[in-house]
Every structure is written in structure tokens, then in C-alpha cells.
């Protein structure tokens, strides 16, 4: 675009020197600001969070416990939750209303890909509408096997593994992949190629090789333990692995990738927190994708992690039919901040075969970012990311706020879409 710095053609209505009565101007401004979020204030009432559906959740939970002849103690035991993951269509049909077509499609997918839903997450699905945002994330859809677009490994993870269990795409950090097990196999998962037919933790000798690679490469200051779901390792293995990393002088921080605060909050136990507390600093990034997933039980898990000194962040995935709506994403970020989870990234869904029905347009992502910046706290504004193919890494995508630059003169576009010239003093 042509650079236009002529202030007579730009808006500068906020220049305080041009305002005669400051209080009057401030009141007028406050009224304008209030008006800018009226659409969100009306919309958020219709977007329930997990806290709003606590009564329905309780009824669903009781129905599952009764069907499994289980107790309250069982429900709070993460091993029980894992052993009772729902993996068969007949079991699922006892709890959610499936049409004949649903049953046929789920059965067809089952022949190709594993699926599993923790009883906890199933109770949330039972509070959701059929084919709603939680259903779409957890219950197989036939598009997973009819979709021929995309690739199994668009990030070329298999080409960026310099040592067993390691993925390295950046100069100073890497991933150790410790398991293929998850509490729930999310239908949009980017690592679905690793799910296989059985749960499989990486053996100790493989993890030793990964640790040796970290030890030998002194520029590695940040190690992400992920999977699958890293917190499905048992406490003894986690204790050993974190202890080994803590003993490497150049490893400054440890990160854990896990979805258990969303899909299996019972995994966050006092003993797990006691071991995490021994190895600061630990950062946990999880993946809440919809406000319905922010529940009293997930809050309890997050509170325990925070008390153990863990710093919590959220990496949402932008998913068609789940959260590709500015109001839903804003409410999600507000709910997350209330449970002390900082919105960190919004990932554009990757071009993974069998999941492309979840992919939205980039315009959807940009509209979400445009409706966050300025309209709400900066804390509630994550970075929108597209993962460049072939392992070229995370690439931030943002609306354009710097329209032009000439020397020390800038032309800014504010969050309210006002064009403002700005001169940097030389
Ligand atoms: S928890 Fe993460 S790794 Fe596991 S299925 Fe879901 S998205 Fe994939």
C-alpha cells in the first residue's frame, strides 16, 4: 500500500490536548469502550463453561459410576479411569444417544484407528449437545478414514530425530517423546500416527539414550517431555527422568506436555505434585479447547499444580466446529485465566491425514486475534501459530498493526481500527 503519513487524513481523536473538558471526554470514551464489547457480553451468556454445567455433570458422573458398579473412590483414582476408558461403540451407546449412522461410522473407524475416552471426559460429553465441541474432539467421525488429504507427519518429526525418542527443530531446545499413551485419543491429534494398537511407554534404555544426547549437547537449555501424554508415566519413572534432567547443568528449564488437566484431572495427585515440586522450574502446557472443558475438577488439578510451583500455559488448537468463533475463544481464555492457566498459543490445525475436517481458514484465526487484542486483557491474548511444514517450526500469524514505516515515522492501526501516525524521537 502507498505510505500515507498525512495526519489530516488519519484519526487522532484521542489527543488529550484537543479535549476541553477531560472528565467529560473520559466519560464519553468509557461509553464508547463499553459499546465495543456489547456483542461479546451478550454472546458469552450462551456459551456455558464447565462450571455452569456442574449439576448435569454430576448426573452424568453418577450414571457412569452406576453402570460400572464403581465408587466415588474409583472415580478419583486415575488408574481406574484409565482402565475404564470407553473404547467400544456398545459401551458408548449406553451413555450417549447414537444414531444407526453414528454407530456404523464409529465401528468403521474402529477398524483402522484406536479411540478411547476417559469416564471423566465422557461425563463432560454427556453434558454437551450431540456432535457438539466435546463430542467432535472425542468420538470418531467417518471423515477420519474417508479423508485422503494431508500427510501422516506434516511436521516431519521422523526427519528431525537426531537420537532415539528425541525431536529437535530449534537451536536451544528439544522434545523427549516418552509414551504413546493418552487418557483420551483426541480425534484431531497431530501425532495420531503414533497411537498404534497398544499403549507403549518408551523403555528405560531408550530414555537413557535421549538423556545422553541432552548431556552431550550443551546448547540445550530447555527440554520438553511429551508423548502421547507425558503425565501418564508413573510417578517413579517421572521422578527418575526429571531428576536426571535436573542434574544436567545446562538444562535450565523442563517442560511437560500433557492434556490430563482436561481429560483426566484425577491424575494430578498429591504424590505427583510432591515430586514435581522437587525439580523447579517446571512449565506445563496443556490443551483446553473449549470453555466446557474448564470444570471444577480441572480447576482443582490446576490449583494443585500451581501450589507445587508449576507454571501453567494453554496451547489451544483452532478446530472447526469446536472453537473457530471469536466469542468462544475469548470466553475460553477468560475461563483459563480464572483457573490460573495462561493462554499461550492458538495452533492452526495441521494438515494431518484424517483430521482435515477440523481445519479452519486462516481468516477464522485472524478474526479471533483481531477480536482479542485490545478488547480484552493482554494476558488473555495468546500467539496464533502456524507450524511451517517439514519441521521449519512455529510461525506467528497476526493481524497487521504496523501499516507503514518510513525512517522514524510509523503508521499504526490500533485495535479499534484507527489509523494513527507515530513518530519515534530521533
Ligand atoms: S492428548 Fe495430545 S497426544 Fe494425546 S491424543 Fe490428545 S492431542 Fe494427541
Amino acid at each position: 500500500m502507498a505510505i500515507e503519513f498525512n495526519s489530516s487524513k488519519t484519526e487522532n481523536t484521542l489527543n488529550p490536548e484537543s479535549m476541553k473538558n477531560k472528565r467529560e471526554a473520559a466519560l464519553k470514551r468509557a461509553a464508547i469502550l463499553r459499546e465495543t464489547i456489547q456483542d461479546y457480553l451478550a454472546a458469552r451468556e450462551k456459551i456455558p463453561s464447565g462450571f455452569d454445567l456442574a449439576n448435569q455433570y454430576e448426573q452424568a458422573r453418577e450414571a457412569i459410576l452406576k453402570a460400572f458398579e464403581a465408587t466415588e473412590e474409583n472415580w478419583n483414582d486415575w488408574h481406574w479411569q484409565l482402565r475404564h476408558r470407553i473404547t467400544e461403540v456398545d459401551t458408548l451407546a449406553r451413555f450417549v444417544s447414537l444414531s444407526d449412522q453414528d454407530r456404523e461410522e464409529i465401528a468403521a473407524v474402529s477398524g483402522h484407528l484406536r479411540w478411547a475416552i476417559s469416564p471423566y471426559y465422557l461425563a463432560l460429553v454427556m453434558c454437551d449437545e450431540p456432535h457438539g465441541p466435546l463430542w467432535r474432539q472425542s468420538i470418531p467421525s467417518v471423515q477420519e478414514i474417508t479423508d485422503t488429504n494431508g500427510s501422516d507427519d506434516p511436521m516431519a518429526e521422523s526427519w528431525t530425530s537426531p537420537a532415539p525418542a528425541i525431536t529437535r527443530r530449534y537451536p536451544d531446545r528439544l522434545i523427549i517423546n516418552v509414551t504413546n499413551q493418552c487418557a483420551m485419543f483426541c480425534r484431531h491429534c497431530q501425532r495420531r500416527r503414533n497411537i498404534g494398537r497398544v499403549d507403549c511407554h518408551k523403555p528405560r534404555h531408550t530414555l537413557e539414550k535421549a538423556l545422553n544426547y541432552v548431556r552431550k549437547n550443551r546448547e540445550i537449555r530447555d527440554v520438553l517431555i511429551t508423548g502421547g501424554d507425558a503425565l501418564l508415566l508413573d510417578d517413579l519413572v517421572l521422578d527418575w527422568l526429571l531428576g536426571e534432567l535436573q542434574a544436567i547443568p545446562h538444562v535450565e528449564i523442563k517442560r511437560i506436555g500433557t492434556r490430563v488437566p482436561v481429560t483426566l484431572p484425577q491424575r494430578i495427585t498429591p504424590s505427583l505434585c510432591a515430586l514435581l515440586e522437587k525439580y523447579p522450574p517446571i512449565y506445563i502446557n496443556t490443551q483446553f479447547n473449549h470453555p466446557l472443558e474448564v470444570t471444577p475438577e480441572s480447576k482443582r488439578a490446576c490449583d494443585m499444580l500451581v501450589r507445587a510451583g508449576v507454571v501453567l500455559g494453554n496451547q489451544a488448537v483452532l478446530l472447526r466446529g469446536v472453537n473457530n468463533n471469536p466469542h468462544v475463544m475469548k470466553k475460553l481464555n477468560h475461563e483459563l485465566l480464572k483457573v490460573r492457566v495462561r493462554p499461550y498459543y492458538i495452533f492452526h490445525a495441521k494438515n494431518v491425514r484424517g483430521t482435515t475436517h477440523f481445519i479452519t481458514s486462516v481468516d477464522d484465526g485472524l478474526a479471533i486475534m483481531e477480536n482479542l487484542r485490545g478488547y480484552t486483557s493482554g494476558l488473555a491474548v495468546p500467539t496464533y501459530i502456524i507450524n511451517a511444514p517439514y519441521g521449519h517450526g512455529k510461525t506467528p500469524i497476526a493481524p497487521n498493526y504496523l501499516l507503514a514505516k518510513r525512517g522514524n515515522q510509523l503508521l499504526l492501526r490500533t485495535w479499534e481500527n484507527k489509523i494513527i501516525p507515530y513518530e519515534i524521537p530521533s
Side-chain angles (χ1 to χ4, degrees):
M1 70 179 279
I3 298 178
E4 177 54 84
F5 290 97
N6 182 347
S7 62
S8 68
K9 292 187 180 174
T10 60
E11 296 185 55
N12 205 359
T13 52
L14 289 180
N15 182 354
E17 286 165 17
S18 69
M19 296 174 184
K20 290 194 186 95
N21 181 328
K22 289 184 181 173
R23 173 57 60 84
E24 193 183 315
L27 288 170
K28 193 172 158 197
R29 177 69 179 145
I32 292 169
L33 291 173
R34 200 174 299 119
E35 200 51 39
T36 64
I37 58 166
Q38 288 309 308
D39 58 340
Y40 173 66
L41 295 182
R44 74 174 179 182
E45 302 304 321
K46 301 187 186 104
I47 305 169
S49 80
F51 281 83
D52 298 318
L53 297 186
N55 289 341
Q56 275 171 263
Y57 166 76
E58 198 47 41
Q59 286 171 14
R61 193 178 78 102
E62 279 171 19
I64 297 172
L65 283 177
K66 192 169 171 202
F68 285 136
E69 298 180 354
T71 64
E72 179 82 23
E73 195 180 339
N74 293 142
W75 188 264
N76 294 324
D77 173 357
W78 68 280
H79 294 290
W80 181 89
Q81 289 273 342
L82 269 188
R83 277 197 308 275
H84 290 81
R85 286 181 299 178
I86 290 81
T87 59
E88 289 170 357
V89 68
D90 289 339
T91 314
L92 183 64
R94 294 167 70 185
F95 303 109
V96 294
S97 175
L98 299 176
S99 66
D100 289 346
Q101 187 181 344
D102 289 331
R103 292 181 72 113
E104 279 169 26
E105 291 188 1
I106 296 166
V109 175
S110 303
H112 294 78
L113 284 162
R114 278 207 290 171
W115 61 277
I117 310 171
S118 66
Y120 167 76
Y121 199 89
L122 178 65
L124 300 184
V125 175
M126 291 163 72
C127 303
D128 189 15
E129 56 188 300
H131 299 272
L134 305 196
W135 175 306
R136 286 174 66 81
Q137 289 183 70
S138 57
I139 297 179
S141 132
V142 76
Q143 287 147 300
E144 296 180 37
I145 53 174
T146 55
D147 174 12
T148 53
N149 296 317
S151 84
D152 291 334
D153 182 13
M155 293 199 298
E157 288 184 319
S158 48
W159 293 88
T160 51
S161 180
I166 282 186
T167 302
R168 182 171 182 183
R169 288 197 295 264
Y170 299 102
D172 67 345
R173 55 207 183 275
L174 53 72
I175 290 171
I176 303 181
N177 189 312
V178 295
T179 182
N180 76 344
Q181 191 182 29
C182 297
M184 173 173 102
F185 292 119
C186 312
R187 306 325 299 165
H188 54 274
C189 181
Q190 64 173 18
R191 297 206 175 104
R192 54 179 28 220
R193 69 186 186 284
N194 295 340
I195 288 171
R197 304 307 300 180
V198 290
D199 292 334
C200 181
H201 295 331
K202 289 277 181 346
R204 176 75 71 111
H205 62 85
T206 301
L207 297 179
E208 287 280 13
K209 286 179 183 154
L211 286 167
N212 277 337
Y213 182 87
V214 177
R215 287 186 193 106
K216 282 183 193 152
N217 289 273
R218 294 171 53 82
E219 71 281 8
I220 300 300
R221 44 162 286 286
D222 172 356
V223 174
L224 166 61
I225 305 169
T226 188
D229 197 311
L231 287 188
L232 291 194
L233 293 187
D234 70 34
D235 288 359
L236 278 177
V237 178
L238 272 172
D239 201 0
W240 166 75
L241 185 56
L242 288 167
E244 293 295 313
L245 288 170
Q246 189 85 353
I248 302 175
H250 54 271
V251 173
E252 297 170 3
I253 64 169
K254 296 155 298 294
R255 287 193 276 168
I256 295 175
T258 174
R259 218 183 166 200
V260 297
V262 187
T263 56
L264 184 65
Q266 296 77 10
R267 172 63 183 106
I268 310 302
T269 59
S271 60
L272 173 69
C273 290
L275 88 82
L276 295 175
E277 200 169 2
K278 291 194 292 180
Y279 304 112
I282 292 182
Y283 292 76
I284 285 185
N285 281 321
T286 186
Q287 186 200 126
F288 288 90
N289 289 327
H290 191 277
L292 273 176
E293 294 173 332
V294 186
T295 67
E297 289 192 46
S298 61
K299 177 181 186 299
R300 180 200 58 83
C302 294
D303 283 346
M304 289 174 70
L305 289 168
V306 169
R307 279 199 294 274
V310 173
V311 182
L312 293 171
N314 191 59
Q315 304 186 155
V317 185
L318 180 59
L319 299 169
R320 180 181 297 280
V322 175
N323 57 18
N324 58 325
N325 173 298
H327 297 319
V328 169
M329 203 56 104
K330 191 187 290 181
K331 174 128 182 185
L332 171 64
N333 292 339
H334 288 170
E335 293 299 308
L336 288 172
L337 288 176
K338 282 155 67 178
V339 299
R340 296 191 273 186
V341 179
R342 167 82 155 92
Y344 177 42
Y345 285 142
I346 295 176
F347 285 123
H348 198 80
K350 298 174 188 78
N351 202 9
V352 176
R353 195 187 331 272
T355 69
T356 59
H357 53 292
F358 283 109
I359 297 179
T360 64
S361 71
V362 172
D363 287 344
D364 277 5
L366 287 172
I368 286 167
M369 298 312 294
E370 188 82 49
N371 277 277
L372 289 173
R373 176 62 64 197
Y375 292 90
T376 193
S377 332
L379 279 172
V381 184
T383 305
Y384 175 38
I385 292 285
I386 292 185
N387 262 286
Y390 311 118
H392 289 295
K394 297 181 182 72
T395 307
I397 308 291
N400 189 14
Y401 296 106
L402 177 60
L403 298 183
K405 177 176 177 297
R406 186 173 62 201
N408 61 351
Q409 290 185 301
L410 310 179
L411 200 59
L412 306 178
R413 182 179 69 85
T414 71
W415 62 275
E416 290 172 285
N417 219 17
K418 291 181 176 168
I419 312 298
I420 309 272
Y422 183 81
E423 186 164 340
I424 311 270
S426 47

